[in-house]
């Protein structure tokens, strides 16, 4: 039984890896104000949107202060969007949450906005 579970889990992770690759291909040329790099990754607990912040344009302290408001906005623009339903359902099926990780390009400071599985 353990082998079957592991095999299924591996297949689902392979599906997630493929989706992550497709999204990374789509966003590689997108530009966002104050963001120098965007990349989607995943680990055992989360699917992670990784943003490298241009600290000459955006202040990490301001991002940290606005994290609660940003979480509400991200829920409305990413999590609850019908166009993202299949992706969010895949994340939930894989028993993962969703994380937005902002890292300063000079300070290395991180600000994380996290959606646990039950928030998706």
């Amino acid at each position: 039984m353990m082998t079957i579970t592991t095999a299924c889990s591996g297949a689902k992770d392979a599906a997630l890896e493929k989706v992550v690759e497709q999204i990374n291909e789509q966003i590689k040329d997108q530009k966002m104000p104050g963001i120098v790099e965007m990349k989607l990754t995943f680990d055992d607990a989360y699917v992670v949107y990784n943003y490298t912040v241009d600290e000459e344009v955006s202040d990490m302290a301001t991002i940290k202060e606005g994290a609660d408001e940003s979480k509400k906005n991200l829920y409305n623009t990413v999590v609850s969007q019908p166009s993202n339903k299949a992706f969010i359902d895949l994340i939930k099926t894989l028993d993962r949450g969703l994380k937005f990780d902002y890292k300063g390009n000079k300070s290395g400071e991180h600000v994380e906005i996290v959606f646990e599985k039950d928030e998706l």
Side-chain angles (χ1 to χ4, degrees):
M1 188 68 147
M2 192 63 123
T3 305
I4 293 170
T5 303
T6 303
C8 289
S9 176
K12 289 179 180 178
D13 278 357
L16 179 58
E17 187 170 343
K18 184 173 182 168
V19 170
V20 165
E21 286 176 11
Q22 290 171 343
I23 291 171
N24 279 329
E25 185 65 28
Q26 291 171 359
I27 66 174
K28 73 177 184 179
D29 294 325
Q30 287 183 3
K31 303 292 181 213
M32 289 177 57
I35 302 295
V36 293
E37 183 179 27
M38 296 182 286
K39 185 173 184 180
L40 191 65
T41 59
F42 66 93
D43 58 30
D44 290 340
Y46 297 97
V47 173
V48 184
Y49 282 90
N50 300 281
Y51 296 104
T52 303
V53 176
D54 181 350
E55 291 183 271
E56 290 186 19
V57 176
S58 299
D59 180 55
M60 291 303 293
T62 303
I63 292 171
K64 187 174 186 174
E65 289 170 15
D68 289 340
E69 187 65 28
S70 292
K71 185 170 182 174
K72 291 175 193 172
N73 291 335
L74 287 167
Y75 184 85
N76 291 329
T77 59
V78 178
V79 176
S80 68
Q81 285 299 307
S83 60
N84 294 333
K85 184 178 179 354
F87 181 56
I88 298 299
D89 287 347
L90 176 62
I91 293 169
K92 292 190 308 188
T93 299
L94 296 173
D95 201 30
R96 287 179 167 91
L98 184 62
K99 185 185 300 184
F100 294 82
D101 182 18
Y102 299 87
K103 179 181 176 185
N105 67 335
K106 293 186 179 187
S107 68
E109 182 179 349
H110 282 266
V111 175
E112 293 181 343
I113 298 172
V114 178
F115 292 91
E116 298 299 340
K117 179 185 172 188
D118 63 348
E119 295 178 283
L120 298 177

